[in-house]
Amino acid sequence: MTEFPGGSIVHGPRRAEVNGAGGSDGRRRLGEAGLNAKPSGRMHVADSLEGGVPARTVGEVSVEDPVFSCRDVSVFYGAKQALHSVTLDIARRQVLAAIGPSGCGKSTFLRCLNRMNDTIPGARVTGTITLDGQDIYDKSKDIAQLRARIGMVFQKPNPFHKSIYDNVAYGPRIHKLTRTRADLDELVFTSLSRAGLWNEVKDRLSAPAVGLSGGQQQRLCIARTLAVQPEVILMDEPCSALDPIATARVEDLIEELRASYAIVMVTHSMQQAARVSQRTAFFYMGKLIEVSDTDHVFTNPQHRLTEDYITGRFG
Ligand SMILES: Nc1ncnc2c1ncn2[C@@H]1O[C@H](COP(=O)(O)OP(=O)(O)OP(=O)(O)O)[C@@H](O)[C@H]1O
Ligand SMILES: [Mg+2]
C-alpha cells in the first residue's frame, strides 16, 4: 500500500460512514472499514490506494428511494480509465452538486447518466446504473426515450437555429407529447414560464433564438429541457458562460425546479454549490472521494483532499 500526503481523513473524532464502492449493502462504519486512528488523532485510510486516492468514498452514498442508483461505475476512453468504481445514489427533489478539479471526471459521470458517453467513439461504461430501479444500460432500453426522461443543460447555451417557440416545441413534437396546436402552445407557455423567460420573450416567440442574450439562451435551453417533462435534469456548469445577474436568475430557477426534479449540477464555483445544492459530491482523479450534505461538506469535510479543494489549496 502506498501512502500519500492527501490521503488522510481530517476530523478524526467524528463518525463518518465509509462505503465500499459497489458493495451491495454499501455501508460500513469507521473502524470496521479499515480507517485507523493515528496517535495524532487523525484518521488514515487503510484501504488500498490507487492512483493517489483512496479506493472508498467517504460519506453516505446511499439515499432512500433514489431516482438514480450508480454502483461501481467506471468509464474508459480507449485504454484510459476516466472514472473509477463510482457508487452513488441520486435523490429525488434535490440538487446534487458535483465538484472537483478540471479533468476529475465530473462531465464523464454526468454523461453516464443519460448514456451520452455512448456517442463517444471508444468510450466504455462498466458497472450498473438504474433509473427508478431499471438498468439504463439494458440492451432493450430505447435511448431516445431514456434521454427524454433525463434532460441535459450544457455549459454553453446551445439553442437550435430555430425560433424561440420552435426550440421549446422541438422535443414535444419529436416525442409526440401533445395532440393539438393549443396543447403545444400551452406546453411552450408553461415551459417558458417555469424557466422564468416568458415575460421577456412572449412578444417575440417567432424570432430566432440565437438573437437572445446568453442568459436568456440558457433559460431557453432549460425551458426546452422542461418541455419534454423529464424526471431528472443534468446540468454541466450551466452558469459558467453567464454574468452574475444571469447566473442569479438561473440559480433561482434551479431552486424552484428542485421542488419537482432531481438535479445533478456540475459546478466549478464552491459558492454556487453551497448556494443551490443540498448534497455535494467531490470527485478527484476519476474517483468519488466524498459525498455528504452540502453544509457538511463545506463546513466539516471529512477527507483531507476535500478540505484542500474547498479551501482552494488546489484545483
Ligand atoms: N472524449 C474523450 N476522449 C478521451 N478522453 C476523454 C474524453 N472526454 C474526457 N476525457 C478524459 O477523461 C477525464 C475526465 O474528463 P471530464 O471531461 O469528465 O472532466 P471534468 O471533471 O468534467 O473536467 P472539467 O472541469 O475541465 O470540465 C479527463 O482526463 C479527460 O481528458
Ligand atoms: Mg466537464
Side-chain angles (χ1 to χ4, degrees):
M1 189 189 82
T2 39
E3 195 74 70
F4 77 112
S8 58
I9 298 280
V10 289
H11 311 299
R14 295 183 48 87
R15 273 172 79 86
E17 286 189 344
V18 178
N19 304 279
S24 55
D25 73 356
R27 275 173 252 167
R28 280 187 283 165
R29 294 278 177 188
L30 260 183
E32 297 166 24
L35 291 164
N36 304 314
K38 302 278 279 184
S40 63
R42 278 204 166 148
M43 311 298 267
H44 272 249
V45 176
D47 293 303
S48 63
L49 293 170
E50 194 187 296
V53 292
R56 294 173 188 284
T57 297
V58 178
E60 182 55 84
V61 297
S62 304
V63 301
E64 216 171 286
D65 188 29
V67 61
F68 270 115
S69 195
C70 308
R71 291 292 174 271
D72 225 355
V73 175
S74 296
V75 179
F76 302 81
Y77 295 112
K80 180 181 155 34
Q81 187 166 3
L83 210 62
H84 298 256
S85 290
V86 169
T87 287
L88 180 65
D89 285 348
I90 292 164
R92 295 169 201 277
R93 289 176 287 282
Q94 193 180 70
V95 181
L96 172 78
I99 62 169
S102 184
C104 69
K106 304 178 297 295
S107 299
T108 297
F109 174 67
L110 214 60
R111 287 195 299 260
C112 289
L113 299 175
N114 68 351
R115 297 193 53 172
M116 261 183 55
N117 286 322
D118 290 18
T119 62
I120 299 174
R124 188 162 60 86
V125 179
T126 63
T128 317
I129 302 180
T130 59
L131 172 63
D132 292 325
Q134 296 195 328
D135 185 350
I136 65 165
Y137 282 85
D138 187 325
K139 297 252 180 324
S140 63
K141 277 270 168 297
D142 177 342
I143 295 187
Q145 285 301 327
L146 176 78
R147 298 220 178 103
R149 294 171 67 190
I150 308 162
M152 179 123 187
V153 176
F154 298 88
Q155 177 172 11
K156 202 164 162 284
N158 57 347
F160 304 138
H161 283 266
K162 293 173 180 290
S163 70
I164 293 168
Y165 183 99
D166 285 342
N167 262 268
V168 183
Y170 182 82
R173 279 180 174 139
I174 286 201
H175 295 289
K176 299 190 171 52
L177 298 182
T178 53
R179 274 185 301 180
T180 64
R181 175 69 192 214
D183 286 349
L184 186 59
D185 287 352
E186 178 67 25
L187 186 52
V188 169
F189 163 73
T190 316
S191 306
L192 285 168
S193 301
R194 294 198 75 189
L197 192 60
W198 175 251
N199 283 335
E200 290 160 69
V201 300
K202 64 181 180 214
D203 300 323
R204 52 194 283 209
L205 291 174
S206 53
V210 290
L212 296 170
S213 74
Q216 289 172 330
Q217 286 186 18
Q218 193 61 308
R219 279 178 285 140
L220 179 70
C221 291
I222 293 172
R224 193 174 65 190
T225 299
L226 299 179
V228 286
Q229 301 168 344
E231 290 167 51
V232 185
I233 304 177
L234 311 176
M235 297 182 163
D236 198 347
E237 301 184 48
C239 300
S240 63
L242 306 184
D243 69 22
I245 292 170
T247 295
R249 296 209 58 162
V250 172
E251 286 184 7
D252 288 347
L253 172 60
I254 293 170
E255 173 63 24
E256 280 168 39
L257 294 176
R258 86 173 163 91
S260 324
Y261 301 94
I263 297 174
V264 186
M265 182 183 65
V266 172
T267 179
H268 275 280
S269 161
M270 308 300 158
Q271 291 82 0
Q272 181 168 67
R275 277 193 301 266
V276 305
S277 73
Q278 290 71 52
R279 198 158 165 250
T280 294
F282 170 61
F283 289 83
Y284 182 71
M285 290 176 65
K287 291 193 173 174
L288 176 58
I289 303 297
E290 181 163 352
V291 62
S292 197
D293 289 348
T294 295
D295 289 350
H296 199 159
V297 169
F298 286 103
T299 57
N300 203 358
Q302 297 293 294
H303 199 282
R304 168 61 72 78
L305 281 170
T306 317
E307 181 177 80
D308 285 354
Y309 182 71
I310 64 171
T311 55
R313 274 185 216 129
F314 69 89

